[in-house]
């Protein structure tokens, strides 16, 4: 039987943001949430995360859990064409 996909919750998004700010790797974040690494990678990619330049410290790379959650909610109610 196939696994049922679970949407990422606001609590998980907050944890992702916190761990990104602390410099955790995506694989460690995924392990702490019990999700595949690709899930975390897609979440970061679709919500504005980018690697920090070498000369500047990373501050979550532009990822904001609140904005990501709002975007996910808005996209979930729009019908797909």
């Amino acid at each position: 039987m196939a696994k049922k996909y679970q949407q990422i919750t606001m609590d998980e998004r907050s944890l992702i943001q916190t761990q990104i700010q602390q410099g955790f790797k995506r694989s460690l974040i995924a392990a702490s949430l019990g999700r595949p690494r690709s899930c975390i990678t897609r979440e970061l990619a679709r919500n504005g995360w980018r690697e920090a330049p070498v000369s500047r410290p990373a501050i979550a790379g532009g990822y904001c859990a609140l904005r990501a959650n709002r975007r996910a909610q808005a996209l979930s109610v729009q019908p797909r064409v």
Side-chain angles (χ1 to χ4, degrees):
M1 186 177 257
K3 286 186 175 183
K4 184 173 178 178
Y5 179 76
Q6 293 282 321
Q7 298 289 328
I8 297 177
T9 64
M10 181 60 192
D11 291 336
E12 290 174 322
R13 286 187 173 98
S14 297
L15 186 61
I16 291 169
Q17 180 179 342
T18 302
Q19 290 182 345
I20 287 286
Q21 286 173 338
Q22 293 175 353
F24 284 46
K25 294 184 184 248
R26 285 175 265 178
S27 56
L28 289 175
I29 296 170
S32 72
L33 294 175
R35 291 189 175 265
R37 189 180 72 132
S38 61
C39 179
I40 304 305
T41 301
R42 282 192 309 269
E43 172 68 15
L44 293 171
R46 84 171 58 99
N47 289 300
W49 180 81
R50 18 181 218 293
E51 298 266 355
V54 177
S55 61
R56 295 183 163 212
I59 303 178
Y63 181 81
C64 176
L66 186 59
R67 274 184 295 176
N69 199 57
R70 285 182 187 152
R71 183 175 185 273
Q73 287 176 341
L75 290 175
S76 71
V77 296
Q78 291 179 351
R80 294 186 182 177
V81 177

